């Protein structure tokens, strides 16, 4: 790394070298049985340079001669660097726990045993359930140096368990599932089992529903599948700067219901999306995005912050290329309603758990529309069964402005979002009739 | 390298072992908000070992290719920990081959500055369209050199090229944001992304037109899909369910996906095949070293075969199809689609819409996804069909169907097959895999459309 930086400095005014070494071991179960173990080792080295006011970028997986990497970056030196852009001279990592030394040493046999017990526990409730499961561990070490003297390095561990169950009855298929992830070794899977059993219980019967507008309760999974994609796009500083976010020019305005609070937080101990500093060496932080319905901030990396005349919020994330703004953990503030009270309040409505395809519409405008893969019909205050062949549509900005209630309990979804359930006014529901 | 690999494969006690080695280069150019935002080059060197022992699979991927033989031994010992049954695998016998792609205009021979010039021009066209707020362009070309060897004695060298261009125009006014996209690809011919000025202009205008379009009213409609969207439809509606890894250990699913079952009318033929030449999903051998085929999934409305890996074909007692693919050396091969399409029929577009009283004509695509039984696919734009004629433009719609009824509801198949080559397919962690989808215009009755009331 040092050699790459040195060679880059010979030809460029500024340079930054980022390296990540990753060792991942997922153990897979297919159709209730142990199927495959994988052992993935990788080393990625990325170089960013600024030369004559233009930036260049090159990245290598595996071996590369430092001179070749520098040459590749020089060739691509054609895109503008915003005024005021510079790599941090000092890295001031925030104190956050992201490493559990125990994770690396967990034997395959223990991972296999954990996965099998998880499947057995779920199937003791519904024996005909066919399950795919995953138990995975991963350790990464990140090292970053730049020509302004900035340097950072940290280690991070991950442990994840997940289960997907499929129940086929005639031509009717039911999909249930849950996952849990942490930087710490997980040994207790009770919450995952309980969640899957909850879904199985609520979906025991099928119920039919009519095409009309009705109240909807989004569970934590429902919030993640319907509302999250548009919010992630809208608060991305880059999309704001482009003018493609409806929130552009709306800082300080009341855009959402006054009970709605949203923040990004890289400093929650042992959460998989937490980090002491981001992929550019800016310290991780908590950034309030919405407070009492008012838009307060967007998420930035160094480049976008310089373009926008703002400061990086420590959200520079590399997803295979240059860093770009990306949320760490997103958190929606809890309310004071009980889930079952919300259900009891509904004469005819829908509880939406998983929606398929919702992120594939015009996410930028806040629109979502998808097939309710897992959702339940509510009739006279009670859940009466699972709906099928049903689509729910809406617009995030309308939905989050007609909130009837916010759940008092929250849960993590995919280690990325901590959210309560949200009870919202009329949403259009379309269904196949007969 | 060949000798090192064979040396590493020799004399182990496993039912099957394979080694893959990959060297790749890629160039990426990204525009955002009307500016060139990123230009980058990446390279990768890596490999993997996969071994089967008593039905359990071990796999390791790495960047460091040293001590390959030791890596093979570790993978075998891990597979042995898992194995609890008799391995079942279809063998092909040893294949030794070197495959050099036929390339018309290799992206590697086009200087970076010319690529930038071309994309600058497209970017300027979009940005100079009134009411357009932003232009996003993602261009990527890559070259992968792959070595494959297995314990059967196969040794295959293949070079694969891929070009992908995605462009989106974003229009905004009065707090409304609408977008329209264009996506293209090719297995190595750069000229496919040249000369698109008119198409780019039309894409930008489409985004602007959508700003004033009303939302569709949700419900069931007779819909007509253009070849692009119908291609996404066939990929999601049937392609994924044809992947045998979903079925081979699922008794219940086998019962409903039994070969010989009718899924559509006599006019419906659905094909997948990497042996169909010149498309982004085309290749000579898959990542298990199995020769590519052209496979009829549905012939005259009847389910006749499905897509296989060596293991799924053996376990189901069906023919190998050469559909095991890995996105890179980091991952093991899994059953994937290649080039998937509905074969053309004989109905013209005019005849197809002429007797529709109220319906939806859905065109272009945003995406699609499936749960096997249910699937959704989203259109880039839509029109009302009223009394046999195209009427007003609508906002993009998301359509949804059920595999057991929606294919039956295909009422007409057009005469105008087109392949869409800009998409990338995702399955498990492996995304985006180069595939192509295609179809002629098709008409589907009682299709569920999401929307307002």
């Amino acid at each position: 790394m040092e050699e790459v930086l040195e060679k880059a400095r010979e030809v460029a005014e500024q340079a930054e070298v980022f390296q990540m070494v990753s060792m991942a071991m997922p153990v897979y179960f297919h159709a209730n049985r142990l199927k495959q173990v994988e052992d993935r080792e990788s080393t990625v080295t990325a170089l960013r340079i600024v030369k004559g006011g233009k930036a260049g970028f090159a990245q290598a997986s595996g071996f590369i001669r430092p001179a070749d990497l520098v040459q590749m970056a020089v060739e691509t030196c054609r895109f503008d660097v915003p005024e005021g852009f510079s790599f941090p001279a000092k890295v001031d990592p925030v104190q956050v726990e992201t490493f559990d030394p125990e994770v690396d040493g967990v034997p395959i046999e223990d991972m296999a045993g954990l996965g099998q017990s998880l499947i057995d526990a779920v199937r003791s409730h519904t024996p005909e359930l066919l399950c795919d499961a995953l138990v995975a561990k991963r350790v990464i070490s990140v090292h970053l140096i730049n020509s302004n003297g900035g340097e950072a390095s940290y280690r991070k561990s991950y442990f994840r368990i997940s289960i997907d169950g499929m129940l086929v009855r005639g031509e009717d298929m039911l999909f249930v599932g849950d996952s849990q992830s942490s930087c710490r070794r997980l040994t207790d899977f009770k919450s995952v089992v309980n969640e899957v059993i909850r879904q199985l219980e609520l979906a025991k019967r099928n119920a039919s529903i009519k095409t009309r507008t009705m109240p909807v309760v989004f569970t934590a999974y429902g919030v993640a599948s319907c509302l999250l994609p548009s919010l992630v796009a809208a608060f991305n500083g880059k999309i704001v700067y482009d003018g493609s976010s409806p929130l552009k020019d709306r800082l300080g305005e009341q855009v959402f219901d006054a009970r709605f609070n949203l923040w990004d937080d890289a400093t929650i101990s042992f959460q998989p999306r937490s980090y002491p500093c981001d992929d550019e060496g800016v310290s991780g932080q908590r950034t309030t995005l919405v407070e009492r319905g008012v838009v307060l901030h967007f998420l930035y990396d160094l480049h976008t912050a310089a373009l926008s005349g703002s400061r990086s919020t420590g959200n520079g994330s590399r997803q295979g290329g240059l860093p770009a703004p990306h949320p760490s953990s997103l958190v929606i503030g809890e309310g004071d309603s009980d889930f079952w009270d919300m259900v009891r309040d509904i004469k005819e409505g829908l509880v939406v758990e998983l929606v398929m395809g919702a992120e594939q519409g015009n996410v930028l405008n806040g629109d979502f529309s998808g097939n309710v893969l897992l959702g339940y019909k509510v009739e006279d205050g009670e859940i009466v069964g699972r709906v099928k062949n049903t689509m729910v549509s809406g617009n995030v900005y309308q939905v989050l402005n007609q909130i009837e209630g916010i759940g008092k309990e929250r849960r993590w979804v995919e280690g990325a979002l901590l959210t309560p359930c949200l009870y919202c006014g009329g949403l259009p529901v379309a269904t196949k009739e007969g | 390298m060949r000798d090192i690999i064979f040396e590493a494969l020799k004399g182990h006690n496993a039912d099957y072992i394979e080694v893959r080695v990959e060297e790749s280069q890629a160039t990426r150019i990204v525009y955002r908000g009307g500016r060139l935002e990123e230009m980058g080059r990446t390279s990768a060197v890596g490999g993997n070992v996969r071994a089967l022992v008593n039905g359990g699979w071990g796999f390791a991927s790495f960047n460091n290719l040293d001590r390959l033989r030791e890596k093979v031994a570790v993978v075998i010992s891990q597979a042995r920990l898992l194995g609890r049954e008799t391995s079942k695998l279809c063998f092909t016998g040893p294949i030794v081959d070197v495959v050099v792609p036929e390339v018309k205009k290799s992206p590697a021979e086009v200087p970076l500055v010319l690529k930038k010039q071309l994309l600058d021009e497209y970017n300027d066209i979009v940005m100079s369209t009134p009411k357009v707020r932003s232009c996003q362009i993602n261009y990527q070309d890559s070259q992968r050199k792959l070595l494959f060897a297995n314990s059967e004695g196969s040794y295959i060298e293949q070079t694969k090229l891929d070009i992908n261009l995605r462009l989106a125009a974003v229009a905004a006014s009065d707090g409304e944001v609408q977008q329209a996209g264009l996506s293209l690809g090719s297995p190595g011919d750069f000229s496919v992304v040249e000369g698109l000025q008119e198409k780019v202009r039309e894409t930008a205008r489409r985004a602007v037109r959508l700003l004033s379009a009303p939302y569709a009213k949700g419900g069931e409609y007779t819909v007509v899909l253009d070849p692009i969207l119908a291609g996404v439809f066939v990929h999601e509606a049937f392609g994924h369910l044809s992947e045998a890894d979903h079925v081979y250990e699922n008794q219940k699913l086998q019962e409903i996906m039994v070969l010989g079952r009718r899924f559509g009318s006599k006019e419906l033929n659905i094909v997948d095949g990497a042996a169909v030449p010149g498309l982004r999903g085309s290749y000579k051998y898959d990542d298990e070293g199995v020769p590519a085929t052209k496979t009829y999934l549905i012939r005259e409305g009847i389910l006749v075969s499905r897509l296989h890996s060596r293991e799924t074909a053996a376990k189901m007692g069906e023919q190998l199809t050469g559909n095991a693919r890995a996105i890179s050396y980091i991952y093991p091969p899994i059953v994937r689609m290649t080039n998937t399409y509905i074969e053309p029929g004989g109905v013209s577009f005019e005849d197809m819409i002429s007797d529709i009283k109220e319906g939806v004509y859905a065109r272009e695509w945003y995406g699609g996804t499936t749960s096997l039984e249910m699937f959704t696919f989203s259109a880039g734009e839509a029109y009302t069909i009223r009394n046999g004629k195209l009427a007003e433009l609508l906002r993009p719609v998301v359509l949804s169907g059920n595999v057991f009824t929606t294919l039956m509801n295909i009422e007409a198949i057009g005469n105008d097959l087109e392949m869409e080559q800009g998409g990338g397919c995702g399955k498990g962690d492996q995304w985006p895999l180069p595939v192509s989808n295609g179809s002629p215009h098709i008409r589907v009755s009682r299709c569920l459309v999401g929307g307002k009331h």
Side-chain angles (χ1 to χ4, degrees):
Chain A
M1 279 181 79
E2 284 71 14
E3 196 186 339
V4 173
L5 187 66
E6 221 168 272
K7 284 215 155 40
R9 288 181 72 163
E10 288 168 14
V11 294
E13 296 105 60
Q14 286 196 68
E16 172 206 53
V17 187
F18 172 90
Q19 190 168 68
M20 183 166 87
V21 178
S22 162
M23 308 222 298
M25 180 175 280
V27 175
Y28 293 98
F29 292 79
H30 179 63
N32 301 333
R33 280 183 304 185
L34 191 55
K35 179 71 190 170
Q36 178 158 297
V37 58
E38 295 181 21
D39 194 347
R40 301 184 201 142
E41 276 181 44
S42 70
T43 303
V44 171
T45 312
L47 170 65
R48 179 159 50 152
I49 58 171
V50 180
K51 183 175 184 281
K54 303 269 181 187
F57 178 74
Q59 178 173 303
S61 303
F63 176 76
I64 187 156
R65 292 190 312 149
D68 291 345
L69 191 65
V70 173
Q71 181 53 34
M72 282 161 65
V74 168
E75 274 175 45
T76 62
C77 238
R78 287 173 214 278
F79 55 97
D80 291 329
V81 178
E83 230 167 277
F85 175 88
S86 74
F87 299 120
K90 191 171 171 301
V91 178
D92 196 10
V94 66
Q95 283 299 317
V96 56
E97 302 271 8
T98 58
F99 185 73
D100 173 1
E102 233 194 286
V103 168
D104 191 36
V106 181
I108 298 177
E109 290 88 339
D110 288 14
M111 295 168 74
L114 186 65
Q116 196 62 58
S117 316
L118 171 64
I119 290 174
D120 294 346
V122 169
R123 290 185 71 225
S124 71
H125 177 273
T126 304
E128 62 273 36
L129 197 68
L130 210 50
C131 299
D132 287 354
L134 166 76
V135 179
K137 63 175 184 180
R138 183 180 179 207
V139 175
I140 62 167
S141 36
V142 172
H143 190 187
L144 173 116
I145 46 176
N146 68 47
S147 56
N148 294 338
E151 174 160 19
S153 66
Y154 68 91
R155 280 190 302 176
K156 192 164 153 179
S157 55
Y158 302 83
F159 201 90
R160 177 180 163 87
I161 51 179
S162 78
I163 184 162
D164 291 294
M166 178 182 185
L167 196 58
V168 183
R169 288 177 284 205
E171 285 179 2
D172 175 33
M173 297 180 205
L174 169 68
F175 297 90
V176 292
D178 192 30
S179 70
Q180 196 181 343
S181 39
S182 171
C183 294
R184 270 193 281 212
R185 176 181 185 175
L186 297 169
T187 49
D188 178 11
F189 49 74
K190 246 185 254 120
S191 76
V192 174
V193 173
N194 290 343
E195 171 63 20
V196 174
I197 289 175
R198 187 185 68 86
Q199 294 171 4
L200 285 166
E201 281 291 328
L202 294 177
K204 256 190 175 151
R205 281 180 296 160
N206 285 352
S208 67
I209 203 160
K210 285 231 153 59
T211 295
R212 51 169 289 218
T213 298
M214 60 183 74
V216 169
V217 178
F218 294 96
T219 65
Y221 272 110
V223 172
S225 63
C226 282
L227 311 181
L228 191 64
S230 283
L231 292 176
V232 168
F235 285 93
N236 180 328
K238 204 174 270 289
I239 293 176
V240 173
Y241 180 77
D242 284 356
S244 309
S245 167
L247 298 181
K248 186 185 164 71
D249 305 325
R250 302 201 68 185
L251 277 183
E253 283 183 38
Q254 179 92 37
V255 173
F256 303 101
D257 185 286
R259 286 167 296 172
F260 185 70
N261 295 293
L262 172 72
W263 61 94
D264 179 78
D265 196 348
T267 66
I268 308 169
S269 277
F270 294 114
Q271 267 314 120
R273 297 269 189 113
S274 295
Y275 41 76
C277 65
D278 72 0
D279 293 348
E280 302 181 288
V282 178
S283 49
Q285 64 177 60
R286 173 177 159 150
T287 306
T288 304
L289 304 175
V290 180
E291 194 171 75
R292 297 198 185 95
V294 177
V295 176
L296 286 190
H297 221 289
F298 303 122
L299 298 178
Y300 291 106
D301 61 352
L302 286 173
H303 183 96
T304 318
L307 279 174
S308 315
S310 188
R311 284 180 52 222
S312 168
T313 52
N315 288 88
S317 166
R318 297 173 193 255
Q319 317 266 324
L322 273 173
H326 200 264
S328 57
S329 292
L330 283 172
V331 183
I332 295 177
E334 76 262 43
D336 53 11
S337 305
D338 178 75
F339 171 77
W340 292 105
D341 285 341
M342 296 177 185
V343 171
R344 269 189 285 277
D345 190 53
I346 296 175
K347 181 131 191 9
E348 190 191 357
L350 199 60
V351 174
V352 169
E353 196 104 75
L354 266 186
V355 172
M356 180 172 65
E359 74 292 357
Q360 290 176 333
N362 186 10
V363 165
L364 290 178
N365 199 49
D367 294 337
F368 63 89
S369 180
N371 185 306
V372 182
L373 197 57
L374 188 59
Y376 323 108
K377 184 189 185 185
V378 181
E379 218 175 88
D380 298 326
E382 277 183 41
I383 289 180
V384 292
R386 171 194 177 208
V387 298
K388 288 196 69 180
N389 297 304
T390 299
M391 292 187 82
V392 62
S393 306
N395 179 282
V396 167
Y397 300 100
Q398 282 167 18
V399 168
L400 294 180
N401 233 324
Q402 48 190 22
I403 296 176
E404 303 279 338
I406 299 179
K408 60 185 179 193
E409 283 169 9
R410 295 185 296 181
R411 62 161 294 160
W412 283 98
V413 182
E414 296 292 330
L417 171 72
L418 178 63
T419 181
C421 49
L422 297 176
Y423 172 25
C424 303
L427 267 80
V429 173
T431 180
K432 239 176 146 61
E433 310 207 353
Chain B
M1 197 74 217
R2 181 177 177 167
D3 295 340
I4 297 171
I5 295 174
F6 275 119
E7 198 48 47
L9 282 171
K10 252 190 230 162
H12 296 283
N13 187 13
D15 299 322
Y16 175 78
I17 319 166
E18 66 186 24
V19 171
R20 291 189 291 142
V21 173
E22 177 174 339
E23 253 184 73
S24 67
Q25 270 100 38
T27 299
R28 182 156 101 140
I29 307 174
V30 180
Y31 288 70
R32 258 211 114 97
R35 327 171 299 281
L36 173 63
E37 172 154 299
E38 173 172 351
M39 202 186 255
R41 284 193 51 195
T42 58
S43 76
V45 180
N48 66 54
V49 173
R50 193 168 68 132
L52 178 67
V53 180
N54 300 334
W57 286 100
F59 173 86
S61 62
F62 34 80
N63 290 123
N64 185 340
L65 301 170
D66 296 342
R67 297 204 300 248
L68 201 53
R69 193 177 167 77
E70 277 170 48
K71 289 180 168 116
V72 172
V74 170
V75 168
I76 291 169
S77 69
Q78 290 181 345
R80 181 158 288 120
L81 275 179
L82 272 57
R84 271 144 217 206
E85 55 188 45
T86 310
S87 295
K88 284 192 185 143
L89 212 60
C90 275
F91 294 103
T92 55
I95 296 172
V96 176
D97 200 355
V98 175
V99 183
V100 182
E102 273 178 48
V103 181
K104 284 196 196 118
K105 185 173 184 182
S106 167
E109 282 155 25
V110 180
L112 208 48
V113 59
L114 289 184
K115 289 175 188 167
K116 177 177 176 292
Q117 225 169 52
L118 180 73
L119 298 176
D120 277 347
E121 199 184 330
Y122 295 161
N123 184 56
D124 290 346
I125 291 172
V126 173
M127 291 308 287
S128 63
T129 307
K131 286 196 183 168
V132 163
R133 189 67 83 69
S134 175
C135 174
Q136 273 182 49
I137 301 176
N138 285 279
Y139 166 87
Q140 176 155 318
D141 61 54
S142 64
Q143 173 164 341
R144 300 166 68 206
K145 190 175 177 205
L146 305 161
L147 305 187
F148 171 89
N150 68 14
S151 51
E152 261 195 299
S154 285
Y155 179 84
I156 299 167
E157 283 185 29
Q158 292 188 90
T159 300
K160 290 181 184 170
L161 289 157
D162 190 59
I163 300 171
N164 190 206
L165 171 68
R166 286 183 177 218
L167 177 145
V170 181
S173 78
D174 303 329
E176 281 281 342
V177 180
Q178 287 293 327
Q179 48 183 326
L182 176 70
S183 60
L184 291 142
S186 154
D189 182 6
F190 186 78
S191 59
V192 166
V193 298
E194 295 177 308
L196 298 172
Q197 288 79 357
E198 262 325 295
K199 278 195 171 168
V200 169
R201 192 164 290 127
E202 177 47 32
T203 303
R205 287 182 184 151
R206 187 149 58 85
V208 175
R209 280 203 304 270
L210 289 172
L211 284 174
S212 51
Y215 283 97
K217 189 168 167 291
E220 281 187 275
Y221 292 94
T222 294
V223 300
V224 173
L225 310 178
D226 81 332
I228 304 284
L229 188 60
V232 176
F233 164 81
V234 69
H235 177 101
E236 300 300 346
F238 201 73
H240 280 293
L241 194 56
S242 299
E243 295 163 347
D245 55 342
H246 296 300
V247 185
Y248 79 116
E249 285 179 326
N250 188 330
Q251 199 58 44
K252 288 253 174 70
L253 213 48
Q254 283 180 33
E255 284 164 21
I256 50 183
M257 287 299 290
V258 65
L259 298 185
R261 174 175 174 164
R262 178 165 292 281
F263 271 89
S265 74
K266 262 187 85 80
E267 285 70 42
L268 183 66
N269 293 292
I270 300 180
V271 172
D272 179 277
V276 179
L279 298 167
R280 275 183 84 211
S282 308
Y283 48 77
K284 192 168 176 190
Y285 301 99
D286 74 1
D287 292 313
E288 291 187 316
V290 175
T293 59
K294 174 182 166 183
T295 307
Y296 274 88
L297 303 174
I298 289 188
R299 193 165 224 162
E300 297 182 350
I302 307 281
L303 179 68
V304 289
S305 50
R306 56 187 125 239
L307 307 176
H308 283 295
S309 64
R310 287 177 184 268
E311 184 180 33
T312 63
K315 289 204 164 168
M316 297 192 74
E318 295 173 8
Q319 294 286 318
L320 277 173
T321 59
N323 282 82
R325 306 178 66 188
I327 197 154
S328 78
Y329 65 90
I330 297 171
Y331 300 100
I334 53 175
V335 181
R336 303 301 293 262
M337 280 174 263
T338 59
N339 308 302
T340 315
Y341 58 94
I342 296 177
E343 285 193 331
V347 184
S348 72
F349 177 68
E350 289 70 29
D351 287 349
M352 203 176 282
I353 65 166
S354 66
D355 61 340
I356 298 175
K357 258 192 141 152
E358 196 193 357
V360 172
Y361 177 43
R363 298 186 60 221
E364 303 288 338
W365 70 290
Y366 264 118
T369 188
T370 180
S371 78
L372 300 183
E373 180 195 13
M374 298 289 174
F375 56 87
T376 63
F377 54 108
S378 49
E381 67 173 4
Y383 294 86
T384 301
I385 303 173
R386 195 172 290 114
N387 300 322
K389 297 234 156 50
L390 290 189
E392 70 275 9
L393 178 72
L394 299 168
R395 292 287 169 94
V397 290
V398 180
L399 305 106
S400 184
N402 173 318
V403 65
F404 302 109
T405 56
T406 309
L407 287 176
M408 279 299 188
N409 291 343
I410 298 179
E411 297 179 320
I413 297 175
N415 51 12
D416 47 357
L417 171 67
E418 269 181 61
M419 297 302 291
E420 203 285 323
Q421 302 223 61
C425 172
K427 183 174 175 184
D429 298 337
Q430 301 194 44
W431 180 90
L433 185 77
V435 293
S436 73
N437 309 314
S439 174
H441 273 93
I442 57 170
R443 173 170 144 173
V444 186
S445 67
R446 302 195 59 197
C447 190
L448 191 57
V449 176
K452 291 218 160 179
H453 293 296

